[in-house]
Amino acid sequence: MDDLVKEFLDEAGEHVEGMNKNLLTLEGSIGKSVDKDIINTFFRSAHSLKGVSGMLGFMVVSKLT
């Protein structure tokens, strides 16, 4: 496997894991004050994932994010 693709997959896995954690935290805070940092972190991860996947030509992932 190409080193660049492997690095992308590792990084993408970290982003997805972090996004999942953020969503679970937000779900647990329904009806409470929302920490805007959690939302910003989620979108930063999604934006990074979109950018890198687009750069590598993984258009399905780029369009999804």
Side-chain angles (χ1 to χ4, degrees):
M1 180 182 305
D2 185 76
D3 288 340
L4 192 55
V5 173
K6 183 179 179 338
E7 187 174 332
F8 167 76
L9 292 173
D10 290 342
E11 184 177 329
E14 291 173 12
H15 282 300
V16 170
E17 186 177 321
M19 291 166 67
N20 186 54
K21 180 181 175 185
N22 292 144
L23 287 175
L24 290 172
T25 300
L26 288 173
E27 181 182 43
S29 67
I30 292 176
K32 301 175 187 173
S33 179
V34 176
D35 184 354
K36 292 182 182 179
D37 287 339
I38 293 171
I39 295 170
N40 290 332
T41 301
F42 176 88
F43 280 110
R44 219 175 3 261
S45 289
H47 186 261
S48 295
L49 186 55
K50 179 179 181 174
V52 174
S53 61
M55 183 179 72
L56 293 175
F58 301 141
M59 301 317 294
V60 173
V61 176
S62 181
K63 288 179 182 180
L64 174 66
T65 53

